Amino acid sequence: MSRKSRIILTEALRRDPAAADRLLWGRESDPLTRRGFIRKSGLLAMGAALGAAIPYARFMPAGLVPAAFAQEDAPGEILGKEGLIVLNDRPLNAETPAHLLDDSVTPNRYMFIRNNGLVPENIDPETWELEVGGESCLRPDRFSIADLRARFETATLQLQLECGGNGRSEFVPAASGNQWTTGAIGCPSFTGVRLRDVLNYCGVGADAVYVGYHGADIHPSGDPDLDAISRGVTIEKALERESLIAWRMNGEDIPLQNGFPLRLVCGGWPGSVSGKWLNRLVVRNRVHDGEKMASPSYMVPRLPVAPGSRVPDSDMRIIESMPVKSLITYPRSGITIGQRERLDVRGHAWAGDETVSAVFLSTDFGATWLPTAAQSPANRLAWQDWASWVQFTEPGYYEIWARAMDASGRSQPMVVPGWNPRGYLNNACHRVAVQVT
Ligand SMILES: Nc1nc2c(c(=O)[nH]1)N[C@H]1C(S)=C(S)[C@@H](COP(=O)(O)O)O[C@H]1N2
Ligand SMILES: [Mo]
């Protein structure tokens, strides 16, 4: 099948699933649940499109877009970030293909980029200052990076950052914003000082409830009085021992696009709370009201809503801990292997503030699941590596699905979960396509 018809088919499945179901599967699926299984005529069409038979077709849910159809764009050309897929270039936003996230610790060049504004210019780390204040800060102060280094204990932690909108491209109806697929996630190692040490040094008032950040990036309009983004975390999250003010990423300067020379890192919450180009922290006696703190930014409905609904502000809540999720980083989707060949499968799993208790694999569209060997995290809020292997006895088209479960027993859904106006928190199972010859 040509790339063009593949994209048309994928688009059709996304935008008008019912019509696409008719076209591809030759049947009408239940519009609400989209349940049902493929009929023989549809199956032949699907097999022709994939160029192979589908041995487990009887388990294939209707409406499923085969993983083999996932769009693969030409890699972008961001200096020092070769291989990332550019979604937008002003502001710059780029995601990492799953197979480039194979390392246990994400290398600097493979950390995704999510910019709400324009990167600051002429940064001098020697003169960079972090100001700490806000109405609930008892002793406002200023620190150079050398001051932070000299005054507080240094800590190095591996921390996972995932954009709240990672996976947005799968929502129907489409949600506006960067159309992330799976690559707005990374887990590098950060070195800096603990946010709590700095906050305690400056004195946290008894009425403190939130810590907000400001960065040196520029609002897309160019107006110097506006912040591109200014979010933050609850005081409880700010005072956790893993919340860092970092100046190093994997032992090197933080890449410019990832917040050089100083950034906040609060792992496990949406990436938007981890302020880049950090130059001011405010300890607040109310929920911080900076740029992109208001609904619907980084908020989801408190209760499930019908796809496409308008949701009143009062029914929205700020996203805090991110849901359980996993990624298959090997093999790369679309590979061809021989019959009975043993195929290693591995990846990572993470669960916001929690740990992952198990990761399962399926090669028959979710009919059966086998546990993998999942490791414990390098430290709290780091993702966890898992590995297994699979084998196929019959030639044809297969998909490998991964599903993680958190310590509270919550599992990833197999289909895109609760639609929400801005398309956040899609933690549906990751799938890769395999052709067996
Ligand atoms: N100052 C500033 N901080 C920021 C942003 C930004 O645009 N400006 N983007 C946020 C968002 S939405 C995310 S997901 C993470 C992305 O971090 P990364 O670009 O290093 O991957 O940074 C957050 N911190
Ligand atoms: Mo984000």
Side-chain angles (χ1 to χ4, degrees):
M1 182 165 120
S2 75
R3 181 179 137 85
K4 194 169 165 211
S5 49
R6 191 154 29 96
I7 291 171
I8 291 170
L9 194 53
T10 311
E11 274 307 298
L13 283 160
R14 267 189 205 144
R15 304 295 165 225
D16 189 352
D21 277 6
R22 276 197 303 277
L23 187 123
L24 190 59
W25 281 270
R27 61 180 293 285
E28 193 90 46
S29 64
D30 176 331
L32 274 183
T33 61
R34 299 185 58 213
R35 255 172 225 279
F37 293 91
I38 312 169
R39 269 218 214 122
K40 206 154 188 186
S41 58
L43 194 57
L44 289 173
M46 173 88 86
L50 291 167
I54 310 168
Y56 287 122
R58 65 189 183 284
F59 299 133
M60 209 168 173
L64 183 86
V65 183
F69 294 175
Q71 194 172 330
E72 276 228 19
D73 288 324
E77 287 303 312
I78 308 167
L79 200 62
K81 294 278 187 183
E82 290 78 9
L84 264 62
I85 308 292
V86 177
L87 302 182
N88 198 340
D89 60 2
R90 199 182 158 90
L92 183 61
N93 287 284
E95 70 172 320
T96 314
H99 69 278
L100 295 183
L101 288 171
D102 197 37
D103 300 271
S104 294
V105 181
T106 308
N108 289 5
R109 66 182 183 285
Y110 293 148
M111 183 63 181
F112 75 98
I113 301 167
R114 196 304 182 225
N115 291 343
N116 289 266
L118 309 175
V119 174
E121 286 171 10
N122 307 320
I123 296 169
D124 179 0
E126 302 295 318
T127 57
W128 190 269
E129 276 201 325
L130 171 66
E131 185 188 326
V132 182
E135 66 272 358
S136 296
C137 176
L138 304 180
R139 293 174 297 277
D141 211 334
R142 313 175 69 89
F143 307 89
S144 66
I145 296 175
D147 291 337
L148 293 174
R149 212 189 269 270
R151 209 160 299 168
F152 307 103
E153 190 194 344
T154 298
T156 296
L157 291 169
Q158 199 194 339
L159 297 166
Q160 53 96 352
L161 287 185
E162 180 179 21
C163 181
N166 196 21
R168 175 179 291 130
S169 64
E170 289 190 305
F171 282 101
V172 178
S176 66
N178 289 301
Q179 295 301 301
W180 304 110
T181 65
T182 59
I185 169 77
C187 194
S189 160
F190 292 95
T191 299
V193 292
R194 293 194 174 84
L195 175 60
R196 72 173 179 195
D197 290 349
V198 176
L199 295 178
N200 286 331
Y201 179 89
C202 297
V204 175
D207 61 348
V209 299
Y210 230 85
V211 175
Y213 70 76
H214 295 272
D217 47 339
I218 298 143
H219 189 271
S221 67
D223 184 337
D225 296 331
L226 298 178
D227 275 322
I229 185 168
S230 170
R231 306 196 68 248
V233 293
T234 59
I235 192 74
E236 292 78 17
K237 177 74 175 171
L239 295 177
E240 281 182 358
R241 66 189 309 279
E242 294 83 11
S243 294
L244 298 184
I245 299 172
W247 56 80
R248 304 225 118 203
M249 192 162 129
N250 297 320
E252 294 169 23
D253 284 344
I254 296 173
L256 175 61
Q257 298 289 352
N258 301 111
F260 176 79
L262 198 65
R263 81 171 296 171
L264 199 57
V265 189
C266 299
W269 286 31
S272 58
V273 305
S274 293
K276 303 194 281 188
W277 309 290
L278 180 70
N279 60 11
R280 188 150 68 99
L281 287 169
V282 280
V283 186
R284 306 295 315 265
N285 64 6
R286 68 196 81 148
V287 174
H288 183 54
D289 50 4
E291 185 64 28
K292 305 213 173 176
M293 282 299 292
S295 179
S297 293
Y298 304 102
M299 288 201 182
V300 288
R302 286 176 207 282
L303 298 170
V305 300
S309 317
R310 253 175 201 283
V311 185
D313 292 356
S314 56
D315 292 348
M316 300 282 273
R317 66 164 180 93
I318 298 174
I319 300 168
E320 296 187 342
S321 177
M322 294 284 285
V324 61
K325 199 161 169 179
S326 58
L327 202 59
I328 302 165
T329 58
Y330 187 91
R332 175 183 186 154
S333 191
I335 61 149
T336 300
I337 59 157
Q339 220 170 318
R340 293 201 185 83
E341 217 174 281
R342 180 186 148 126
L343 176 65
D344 286 325
V345 184
R346 60 175 182 263
H348 318 290
W350 59 97
D353 281 339
E354 292 214 34
T355 48
V356 170
S357 57
V359 182
F360 303 91
L361 286 186
S362 177
T363 53
D364 56 8
F365 302 110
T368 53
W369 294 91
L370 288 172
T372 67
Q375 291 178 23
S376 29
N379 50 254
R380 183 170 174 259
L381 309 183
W383 66 15
Q384 293 165 245
D385 294 345
W386 55 265
S388 185
W389 58 273
V390 297
Q391 221 169 9
F392 304 93
T393 50
E394 216 184 306
Y397 174 81
Y398 293 86
E399 292 189 5
I400 303 173
W401 293 8
R403 180 164 63 91
M405 189 188 280
D406 72 17
S408 305
R410 282 176 297 224
S411 185
Q412 288 183 258
M414 273 138 65
V415 292
V416 180
W419 183 91
N420 60 89
R422 282 291 166 92
Y424 297 118
L425 309 187
N426 175 7
N427 66 334
C429 291
H430 184 216
R431 308 184 278 132
V432 300
V434 178
Q435 299 274 1
V436 178
T437 55

